[in-house]
mmCIF file of all heavy atoms in Angstrom:
data_model
loop_
_atom_site.group_PDB
_atom_site.id
_atom_site.type_symbol
_atom_site.label_atom_id
_atom_site.label_comp_id
_atom_site.label_asym_id
_atom_site.label_seq_id
_atom_site.Cartn_x
_atom_site.Cartn_y
_atom_site.Cartn_z
ATOM 1 N N ASP B 19 74.233 92.632 52.868
ATOM 2 C CA ASP B 19 74.129 93.881 52.100
ATOM 3 C C ASP B 19 75.275 94.846 52.380
ATOM 4 O O ASP B 19 75.400 95.895 51.738
ATOM 5 C CB ASP B 19 72.804 94.579 52.373
ATOM 6 C CG ASP B 19 72.608 94.924 53.847
ATOM 7 O OD1 ASP B 19 73.548 94.736 54.649
ATOM 8 O OD2 ASP B 19 71.508 95.374 54.208
ATOM 9 N N LYS B 24 72.144 96.236 63.580
ATOM 10 C CA LYS B 24 72.044 96.129 65.027
ATOM 11 C C LYS B 24 71.978 94.657 65.411
ATOM 12 O O LYS B 24 71.234 93.870 64.811
ATOM 13 C CB LYS B 24 70.794 96.870 65.523
ATOM 14 C CG LYS B 24 70.784 97.141 67.013
ATOM 15 C CD LYS B 24 69.620 98.049 67.381
ATOM 16 C CE LYS B 24 69.664 98.390 68.881
ATOM 17 N NZ LYS B 24 68.548 99.305 69.240
ATOM 18 N N TYR B 56 70.483 82.518 72.201
ATOM 19 C CA TYR B 56 71.407 83.648 72.209
ATOM 20 C C TYR B 56 72.851 83.196 72.430
ATOM 21 O O TYR B 56 73.784 83.797 71.893
ATOM 22 C CB TYR B 56 70.986 84.655 73.282
ATOM 23 C CG TYR B 56 69.716 85.378 72.920
ATOM 24 C CD1 TYR B 56 68.488 84.948 73.398
ATOM 25 C CD2 TYR B 56 69.742 86.477 72.068
ATOM 26 C CE1 TYR B 56 67.307 85.612 73.050
ATOM 27 C CE2 TYR B 56 68.577 87.146 71.714
ATOM 28 C CZ TYR B 56 67.360 86.701 72.204
ATOM 29 O OH TYR B 56 66.211 87.346 71.841
ATOM 30 N N LEU B 66 82.678 83.482 63.170
ATOM 31 C CA LEU B 66 82.698 84.204 61.896
ATOM 32 C C LEU B 66 83.663 85.378 61.971
ATOM 33 O O LEU B 66 84.357 85.691 60.998
ATOM 34 C CB LEU B 66 81.290 84.700 61.551
ATOM 35 C CG LEU B 66 80.280 83.622 61.151
ATOM 36 C CD1 LEU B 66 78.879 84.223 61.045
ATOM 37 C CD2 LEU B 66 80.671 82.970 59.817
ATOM 38 N N GLY B 78 77.389 97.052 69.736
ATOM 39 C CA GLY B 78 76.021 96.622 69.472
ATOM 40 C C GLY B 78 75.680 96.457 68.003
ATOM 41 O O GLY B 78 74.529 96.171 67.663
ATOM 42 N N ALA B 85 85.836 89.913 52.917
ATOM 43 C CA ALA B 85 86.011 88.463 52.832
ATOM 44 C C ALA B 85 84.666 87.758 52.962
ATOM 45 O O ALA B 85 84.390 86.779 52.263
ATOM 46 C CB ALA B 85 86.964 87.982 53.929
ATOM 47 N N ASN B 99 82.654 74.999 60.925
ATOM 48 C CA ASN B 99 84.061 75.144 61.304
ATOM 49 C C ASN B 99 85.004 74.587 60.248
ATOM 50 O O ASN B 99 86.094 75.129 60.028
ATOM 51 C CB ASN B 99 84.322 74.458 62.642
ATOM 52 C CG ASN B 99 83.675 75.198 63.792
ATOM 53 O OD1 ASN B 99 83.283 76.347 63.661
ATOM 54 N ND2 ASN B 99 83.549 74.533 64.925
ATOM 55 N N GLU B 118 94.533 69.638 73.158
ATOM 56 C CA GLU B 118 95.129 68.330 72.935
ATOM 57 C C GLU B 118 94.103 67.204 73.008
ATOM 58 O O GLU B 118 94.371 66.081 72.614
ATOM 59 C CB GLU B 118 96.225 68.082 73.969
ATOM 60 C CG GLU B 118 97.369 69.099 73.875
ATOM 61 C CD GLU B 118 98.398 68.893 74.955
ATOM 62 O OE1 GLU B 118 98.182 67.990 75.784
ATOM 63 O OE2 GLU B 118 99.401 69.628 74.968
ATOM 64 N N ASP B 125 81.911 68.528 66.803
ATOM 65 C CA ASP B 125 80.551 68.176 67.215
ATOM 66 C C ASP B 125 80.535 67.059 68.243
ATOM 67 O O ASP B 125 79.484 66.723 68.777
ATOM 68 C CB ASP B 125 79.719 67.762 65.995
ATOM 69 C CG ASP B 125 79.450 68.948 65.082
ATOM 70 O OD1 ASP B 125 79.435 70.085 65.589
ATOM 71 O OD2 ASP B 125 79.258 68.735 63.868
ATOM 72 N N LEU B 153 89.804 90.898 73.225
ATOM 73 C CA LEU B 153 90.402 92.004 73.967
ATOM 74 C C LEU B 153 91.517 92.654 73.163
ATOM 75 O O LEU B 153 91.627 93.889 73.113
ATOM 76 C CB LEU B 153 90.936 91.493 75.314
ATOM 77 C CG LEU B 153 91.584 92.534 76.233
ATOM 78 C CD1 LEU B 153 90.634 93.690 76.527
ATOM 79 C CD2 LEU B 153 92.028 91.875 77.544
ATOM 80 N N ASN B 177 100.934 96.043 90.983
ATOM 81 C CA ASN B 177 101.626 96.520 92.193
ATOM 82 C C ASN B 177 103.061 96.977 91.943
ATOM 83 O O ASN B 177 103.924 96.825 92.811
ATOM 84 C CB ASN B 177 101.598 95.438 93.285
ATOM 85 C CG ASN B 177 100.205 95.163 93.784
ATOM 86 O OD1 ASN B 177 99.413 96.082 93.989
ATOM 87 N ND2 ASN B 177 99.879 93.890 93.974
ATOM 88 N N TYR B 178 103.314 97.561 90.777
ATOM 89 C CA TYR B 178 104.637 98.112 90.524
ATOM 90 C C TYR B 178 104.761 99.553 91.012
ATOM 91 O O TYR B 178 105.860 100.091 91.073
ATOM 92 C CB TYR B 178 104.980 98.026 89.034
ATOM 93 C CG TYR B 178 105.511 96.667 88.657
ATOM 94 C CD1 TYR B 178 104.687 95.712 88.064
ATOM 95 C CD2 TYR B 178 106.824 96.314 88.926
ATOM 96 C CE1 TYR B 178 105.169 94.455 87.733
ATOM 97 C CE2 TYR B 178 107.316 95.059 88.608
ATOM 98 C CZ TYR B 178 106.481 94.130 88.009
ATOM 99 O OH TYR B 178 106.959 92.880 87.699
ATOM 100 N N GLY B 191 110.514 110.143 74.135
ATOM 101 C CA GLY B 191 110.426 108.717 73.840
ATOM 102 C C GLY B 191 109.869 107.905 74.989
ATOM 103 O O GLY B 191 109.826 106.679 74.919
ATOM 104 N N LYS B 221 114.968 100.019 65.613
ATOM 105 C CA LYS B 221 115.182 101.448 65.828
ATOM 106 C C LYS B 221 114.363 101.973 66.995
ATOM 107 O O LYS B 221 114.839 102.796 67.793
ATOM 108 C CB LYS B 221 114.848 102.228 64.563
ATOM 109 C CG LYS B 221 115.121 103.718 64.679
ATOM 110 C CD LYS B 221 114.824 104.448 63.374
ATOM 111 C CE LYS B 221 115.100 105.944 63.522
ATOM 112 N NZ LYS B 221 114.803 106.692 62.267
ATOM 113 N N PHE B 226 114.307 103.866 72.651
ATOM 114 C CA PHE B 226 113.880 103.661 74.039
ATOM 115 C C PHE B 226 115.101 103.528 74.950
ATOM 116 O O PHE B 226 115.145 104.102 76.042
ATOM 117 C CB PHE B 226 112.995 102.419 74.121
ATOM 118 C CG PHE B 226 112.380 102.184 75.476
ATOM 119 C CD1 PHE B 226 111.665 103.181 76.121
ATOM 120 C CD2 PHE B 226 112.508 100.952 76.108
ATOM 121 C CE1 PHE B 226 111.081 102.959 77.366
ATOM 122 C CE2 PHE B 226 111.938 100.721 77.341
ATOM 123 C CZ PHE B 226 111.221 101.730 77.981
ATOM 124 N N ALA B 229 116.544 106.894 75.492
ATOM 125 C CA ALA B 229 115.770 107.668 76.466
ATOM 126 C C ALA B 229 116.127 107.259 77.883
ATOM 127 O O ALA B 229 116.223 108.103 78.787
ATOM 128 C CB ALA B 229 114.273 107.484 76.212
ATOM 129 N N TYR B 245 103.925 92.765 67.927
ATOM 130 C CA TYR B 245 105.042 91.892 68.280
ATOM 131 C C TYR B 245 106.350 92.659 68.125
ATOM 132 O O TYR B 245 106.389 93.737 67.550
ATOM 133 C CB TYR B 245 105.077 90.648 67.372
ATOM 134 C CG TYR B 245 103.893 89.741 67.524
ATOM 135 C CD1 TYR B 245 102.771 89.891 66.713
ATOM 136 C CD2 TYR B 245 103.877 88.736 68.489
ATOM 137 C CE1 TYR B 245 101.674 89.060 66.853
ATOM 138 C CE2 TYR B 245 102.787 87.901 68.635
ATOM 139 C CZ TYR B 245 101.681 88.063 67.812
ATOM 140 O OH TYR B 245 100.600 87.241 67.965
ATOM 141 N N THR B 283 83.740 89.840 84.976
ATOM 142 C CA THR B 283 83.377 88.451 85.255
ATOM 143 C C THR B 283 81.934 88.221 84.832
ATOM 144 O O THR B 283 81.019 88.886 85.315
ATOM 145 C CB THR B 283 83.532 88.126 86.751
ATOM 146 O OG1 THR B 283 84.894 88.321 87.142
ATOM 147 C CG2 THR B 283 83.120 86.684 87.033
#
Side-chain angles (χ1 to χ4, degrees):
D19 59 7
K24 195 172 183 179
Y56 290 96
L66 289 171
N99 290 344
E118 298 176 358
D125 291 333
L153 181 56
N177 294 318
Y178 277 99
K221 183 178 180 181
F226 186 53
Y245 295 92
T283 300

